[in-house]
């Protein structure tokens, strides 16, 4: 590797790196020895301890609080095509061990030692998010590496994430290789879906709830189900395909609900699945006023807590949502309550549900505690890589 600049840390600032973490913060850099502001965003550097010992290679962004992310513990090995091929092969080997069909998250950022990179796989189609300047800088090498490892028929860059804006990068969606099939299909838990990879949320699909949906699928037969924040029907259509008597999918997006109908028809369950467009809180109030009742309610909202300062308001929103949802359950119902807010601790979601149960003067039993699936591996040194929580709660009158 050609010579690259150094980034010197302050005394004892290497402790988290030695414990396995991949991030460096701007206040940990010895800017007298190595002025990071002189580095262009995306530049690779050799990270050095205060005594000058080389610790590995990172890429930097001097304009971000997380100013550097480690990509290699070998000071002679930077992030290039060779390392990308190696890491992609490692990631692929795990997924092939876990799943018998090619529908999964292939790369989960730091969890797969590729910080700033997300790749979801839909058969021969790959949807890529380059969320940092460092990953954007190696976009061409990444495409070469993907060709080497998987030879995909089509690759989409979904560079329209909030993370890119924070990194000072331009946004956009582009098919950078091949031609997309129409439609792009995926299969999850034996149910087929159309994935809106160009204009849907994130990469078009949320594989992270696969295991949690599989658990719920075993309990839905004959039930009347309300799926709030349904998006394209990941929960609701699977419930119908697994024998739910009736499913109502609610979302604020009319386009998403059109996909729900399409996915229900694709699986031959269109007669069991109805849709309702509107704000979740307003729909809950309207359904209660109409005297509606459900055997199961699924709550899979967007992140109400995006930053630490949002925690108080976010927890209140989760509390209200769970209280209002429980009002629609029959005497002995099941609530699936989820949160993708990294800043909401798992025990706090339990507190939210407990408070909602008592507010309705009911009893609650937690039957299931779920998290993100194994294709979203958690880095043991980076708590931020663990974000998804799901509780299956029996709510009943004693």
């Amino acid at each position: 590797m050609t010579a690259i600049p150094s980034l010197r840390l302050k005394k004892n600032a290497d402790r988290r790196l030695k414990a396995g973490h991949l991030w460096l913060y701007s206040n940990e850099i010895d800017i007298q020895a190595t002025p990071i502001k002189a580095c262009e965003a995306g530049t690779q550097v050799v990270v050095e301890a205060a005594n000058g010992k080389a610790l590995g290679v990172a890429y930097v962004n001097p304009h971000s609080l997380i100013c550097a992310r480690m990509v290699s513990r070998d000071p002679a090995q930077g992030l290039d095509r060779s390392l990308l091929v190696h890491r992609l092969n490692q990631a692929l080997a795990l997924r092939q061990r876990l799943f018998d069909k090619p529908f999964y998250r292939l790369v989960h950022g730091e969890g797969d030692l590729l910080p700033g990179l997300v790749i979801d796989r839909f058969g021969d189609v790959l949807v890529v998010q380059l969320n940092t300047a460092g990953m954007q800088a190696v976009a061409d090498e990444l495409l070469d590496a993907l060709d080497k490892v998987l030879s995909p028929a089509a690759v989409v860059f979904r560079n329209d994430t909030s993370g890119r804006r924070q990194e000072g990068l331009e946004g956009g969606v582009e098919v950078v290789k091949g031609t997309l099939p129409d439609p792009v299909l995926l299969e999850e838990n034996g149910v087929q879906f159309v994935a809106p990879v160009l204009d849907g949320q994130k990469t078009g699909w949320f594989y992270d709830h696969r295991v949690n949906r599989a658990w719920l699928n075993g309990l839905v037969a004959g039930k009347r189900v309300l799926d709030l924040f349904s998006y394209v029907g990941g929960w609701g259509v699977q419930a119908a395909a697994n024998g739910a008597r009736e499913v109502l999918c609610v979302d604020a997006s009319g386009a998403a609900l059109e996909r729900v109908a399409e996915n229900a028809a694709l699986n031959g369950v269109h007669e069991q699945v109805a849709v309702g467009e509107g704000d979740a809180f307003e729909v809950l109030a309207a359904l209660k006023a109409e005297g509606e009742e459900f055997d199961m309610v699924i709550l899979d909202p967007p992140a109400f807590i995006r930053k630490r300062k949002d925690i108080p308001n976010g927890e209140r929103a989760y509390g209200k949502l769970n209280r209002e949802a429980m009002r629609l359950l029959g005497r002995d119902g099941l609530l699936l309550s989820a949160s993708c807010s990294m800043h909401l601790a798992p025990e706090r979601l339990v507190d939210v549900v407990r408070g909602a149960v008592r507010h309705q003067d009911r009893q609650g039993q937690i039957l299931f505690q779920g998290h993100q699936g194994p294709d979203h591996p958690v880095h043991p040194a980076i708590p931020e890589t663990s974000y998804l929580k799901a509780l299956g709660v029996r709510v009943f009158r004693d």
Side-chain angles (χ1 to χ4, degrees), residues 79-89 114 117 135 138 141-142 145 149:
L79 187 62
D80 57 13
R81 181 183 181 278
S82 173
L83 184 58
L84 286 164
V85 167
H86 172 65
R87 292 274 160 80
L88 288 171
N89 275 319
L114 287 167
L117 179 64
M135 277 297 164
V138 294
E141 291 89 339
L142 175 63
V149 174

Side-chain angles (χ1 to χ4, degrees), residues 27-354:
N27 62 0
E28 296 173 323
I29 309 304
D30 182 349
I31 58 174
Q32 300 301 319
T34 54
I36 190 171
K37 293 292 185 186
C39 291
E40 185 178 343
T43 300
Q44 296 188 42
V45 297
V46 173
V47 178
E48 297 177 349
N51 63 6
K53 180 183 178 183
L55 302 173
V57 176
Y59 61 71
V60 301
N61 189 339
H63 312 299
S64 173
L65 176 63
I66 302 173
C67 67
R69 299 174 196 248
M70 299 290 291
V71 293
S72 170
R73 298 284 171 172
D74 179 356
Q77 176 62 65
L79 187 62
D80 57 13
R81 181 183 181 278
S82 173
L83 184 58
L84 286 164
V85 167
H86 172 65
R87 292 274 160 80
L88 288 171
N89 275 319
Q90 285 182 319
L92 179 62
L94 172 64
R95 278 70 180 179
Q96 289 178 332
R97 193 183 314 163
L98 294 168
F99 307 111
D100 59 1
K101 294 186 178 179
F103 306 106
Y104 42 69
R105 172 148 294 182
L106 174 64
V107 174
H108 185 56
E110 281 80 351
D112 285 297
L113 305 181
L114 287 167
L117 179 64
V118 169
I119 304 176
D120 279 350
R121 185 178 186 186
F122 304 92
D124 287 333
V125 175
L126 301 178
V127 182
V128 178
Q129 293 177 321
L130 304 168
N131 293 320
T132 56
M135 277 297 164
Q136 181 64 54
V138 294
D140 290 342
E141 291 89 339
L142 175 63
L143 280 173
D144 285 347
L146 288 171
D147 270 341
K148 168 78 171 175
V149 174
L150 278 173
S151 297
V155 179
V156 178
F157 277 2
R158 279 297 300 262
N159 289 336
D160 53 352
T161 65
S162 59
R164 282 180 66 87
R165 291 192 292 274
Q166 293 167 10
E167 287 269 314
L169 298 169
E170 292 183 358
V173 179
E174 184 182 3
V175 180
V176 293
K177 180 196 174 182
T179 303
L180 285 180
D182 185 21
V184 177
L185 295 176
L186 70 102
E187 183 179 316
E188 182 180 287
N189 297 324
V191 182
Q192 278 201 319
F193 292 89
V194 174
V197 299
L198 293 179
D199 55 4
Q201 295 180 29
K202 305 290 186 178
T203 64
W205 184 254
F206 296 90
Y207 282 122
D208 50 4
H209 267 306
R210 180 200 318 254
V211 177
N212 305 327
R213 292 185 186 120
W215 176 79
L216 193 71
N217 289 346
L219 299 172
V220 297
K223 305 298 184 184
R224 188 170 192 238
V225 179
L226 173 62
D227 178 12
L228 282 172
F229 309 97
S230 69
Y231 185 43
V232 299
W235 292 93
V237 173
Q238 285 194 43
N242 281 276
R245 180 178 84 255
E246 184 181 337
V247 178
L248 174 59
C249 289
V250 173
D251 201 274
S253 166
L257 294 175
E258 289 178 11
R259 296 287 191 178
V260 171
E262 183 180 7
N263 287 323
L266 182 64
N267 291 279
V269 294
H270 51 284
E271 293 185 359
Q272 292 106 287
V273 178
V275 299
E277 184 177 348
D279 172 83
F281 290 98
E282 293 175 1
V283 171
L284 284 170
L287 289 170
K288 183 62 180 175
E290 293 162 9
E292 296 286 357
E293 196 171 88
F294 296 86
D295 302 303
M296 292 184 178
V297 177
I298 299 161
L299 303 177
D300 185 16
F304 289 161
I305 306 172
R306 297 191 181 278
K307 299 179 180 177
R308 287 189 186 279
K309 66 180 179 63
D310 300 331
I311 289 176
N313 287 339
E315 289 189 353
R316 281 192 288 273
Y318 283 116
K320 180 181 179 182
L321 180 64
N322 279 267
R323 288 194 303 273
E324 296 305 305
M326 285 180 191
R327 296 174 68 204
L328 293 175
L329 286 171
R331 291 190 60 84
D332 191 351
L334 186 73
L335 178 74
L336 191 292
S337 182
S339 168
C340 61
S341 296
M342 183 268 293
H343 292 293
L344 183 73
E347 60 270 19
R348 291 298 295 147
L349 182 59
V350 173
D351 286 343
V352 162
V353 169
R354 175 189 52 77

